[in-house]
Amino acid sequence: MKISKLQLKQIWEGWTNLLFRFKNIRINRIKKRRLDICRNCKYHSSNAKIKTIRIDGHCTVCGCNDAAKTSCLTCECPMGKWKAENEK
């Protein structure tokens, strides 16, 4: 699977926000709302009918770690359940 420059930028943004901006109130509010949606989705790893060997919570559609993906403000849910908060 080939990763585009945009995807790499979004992965970097998500992990940076998660690890270094964890005290940012806006990011935390958005992340919490998105995580609630993700963790109740049928495509979340905890709800998927086919289990993976990964131990982290992740989307079975895009493969992203849920905590990092929901911390990325330029990211969107691949299933359209939440939109980007900032422009890419």
Side-chain angles (χ1 to χ4, degrees), residues 15-87:
W15 281 106
T16 300
N17 287 346
L18 179 64
L19 297 174
F20 302 110
R21 297 186 180 134
F22 57 90
K23 291 185 179 180
N24 183 299
I25 294 169
R26 179 173 181 250
I27 293 172
N28 285 339
R29 187 186 52 193
I30 292 166
K31 178 184 161 199
K32 182 183 181 330
R33 179 177 44 84
R34 288 175 171 185
L35 275 174
D36 288 343
I37 294 168
C38 290
R39 290 181 177 161
N40 287 303
C41 176
K42 69 179 182 178
Y43 298 108
H44 189 270
S45 59
S46 63
N47 302 324
K49 292 182 181 183
I50 299 173
K51 299 297 179 187
T52 65
I53 59 172
R54 288 175 59 177
I55 59 171
D56 65 325
H58 62 278
C59 176
T60 59
V61 175
C62 68
C64 290
N65 172 278
D66 62 1
K69 178 86 171 199
T70 57
S71 297
C72 173
L73 301 184
T74 60
C75 293
E76 295 182 351
C77 168
M79 301 307 296
K81 296 189 178 205
W82 44 264
K83 300 291 181 194
E85 298 288 328
N86 295 349
E87 290 186 26

Side-chain angles (χ1 to χ4, degrees), residues 2-17:
K2 188 173 180 178
I3 298 175
S4 72
K5 287 183 182 182
L6 174 61
Q7 288 171 315
L8 281 174
K9 183 179 175 186
Q10 290 177 328
I11 291 167
W12 179 260
E13 177 192 346
W15 281 106
T16 300
N17 287 346

